[in-house]
Amino acid sequence: PSMLIDSGSGRLSTIATGGTIFGSSSIIRVETISNGGLPSSFITPPILDEGKMYLSRISSFNGNSWSDSTISHNSISPSKCAPSPPRDVLVNVLSDTELGVSWKAPVFEGGASIAGYKIVWGDNDDMVPASQLFFLLDNLDPEESFLVSVTAFSSRGFSDPALAKPLLCPMELIESITL
């Protein structure tokens, strides 16, 4: 359970899910999402009450002083929902008949623990428990191409599928093989 605050569109907006908040000065931890850029969404600690109305207020700090606060235009009430998609879904060619798929857990669980993941390739699919962040596709036809996706699921539903990106070999490895 947490509150997601998005300031990337130029207009502050919030989305929330279950938990409990204590006091009136909750702190939001901000992390750099990509080098050279500023993050546009932040997640509060998972301590919000489901059914209670919340506004978000954001101030920035430049190392010397704090800016004036910006307050969201809407109040929201947390509710549980499906998780966000798995992150960093990669597919790696292991042999002419095997592909390895790996991923990271979703950023947002939706207020319920992740129960597992559904892996889809071609007309096939399989499910693995939440503790497993990889899957081996084997006995594949080397003449066939596959689109691979991974979906997270919990008691609140299924995330959107995350398409696997091919894991590229480092140039040093390619050069050492071709020498």
Side-chain angles (χ1 to χ4, degrees), residues 3 5 14 21 53-57 71-76:
M3 178 182 281
I5 303 166
T14 54
I21 197 163
M53 300 302 286
Y54 292 93
L55 287 171
S56 58
R57 181 176 56 226
I71 298 176
S72 62
H73 298 284
N74 303 321
S75 62
I76 60 168

Side-chain angles (χ1 to χ4, degrees), residues 89-169:
V89 180
L90 300 172
V91 63
N92 189 19
V93 176
L94 302 177
S95 75
D96 62 345
T97 61
E98 294 180 323
L99 296 174
V101 184
S102 64
W103 59 90
K104 292 181 183 173
V107 170
F108 180 65
E109 291 185 342
S113 297
I114 300 296
Y117 299 95
K118 179 178 180 180
I119 301 89
V120 177
W121 66 102
D123 294 331
N124 304 295
D125 64 75
D126 205 343
M127 294 189 176
V128 297
S131 59
Q132 186 173 328
L133 299 175
F134 63 91
F135 190 76
L136 175 67
L137 306 176
D138 56 2
N139 299 317
L140 301 173
D141 181 351
E143 300 298 317
E144 193 173 347
S145 296
F146 293 96
L147 186 62
V148 179
S149 67
V150 179
T151 303
F153 64 91
S154 71
S155 62
R156 304 304 295 177
F158 285 81
S159 73
D160 289 332
L163 291 177
K165 296 177 185 170
L167 181 64
L168 302 176
C169 292

Side-chain angles (χ1 to χ4, degrees), residues 22-42:
F22 299 101
S24 60
S25 335
S26 293
I27 301 296
I28 297 173
R29 191 182 83 199
V30 179
E31 296 179 10
T32 300
I33 292 174
S34 62
N35 290 336
L38 294 175
S40 61
S41 59
F42 315 94

Side-chain angles (χ1 to χ4, degrees), residues 51-92:
K52 188 173 181 180
M53 300 302 286
Y54 292 93
L55 287 171
S56 58
R57 181 176 56 226
I58 296 179
S59 297
S60 60
F61 184 74
N62 66 7
N64 295 315
S65 62
W66 287 93
S67 70
D68 292 335
S69 295
T70 300
I71 298 176
S72 62
H73 298 284
N74 303 321
S75 62
I76 60 168
S77 178
S79 63
K80 295 180 180 178
C81 61
S84 62
R87 300 174 293 130
D88 300 333
V89 180
L90 300 172
V91 63
N92 189 19

Side-chain angles (χ1 to χ4, degrees), residues 1-3 17-22 26-27 44-50 54:
S2 59
M3 178 182 281
T17 65
T20 308
I21 197 163
F22 299 101
S26 293
I27 301 296
T44 64
I47 52 173
L48 301 176
D49 278 332
E50 191 169 356
Y54 292 93

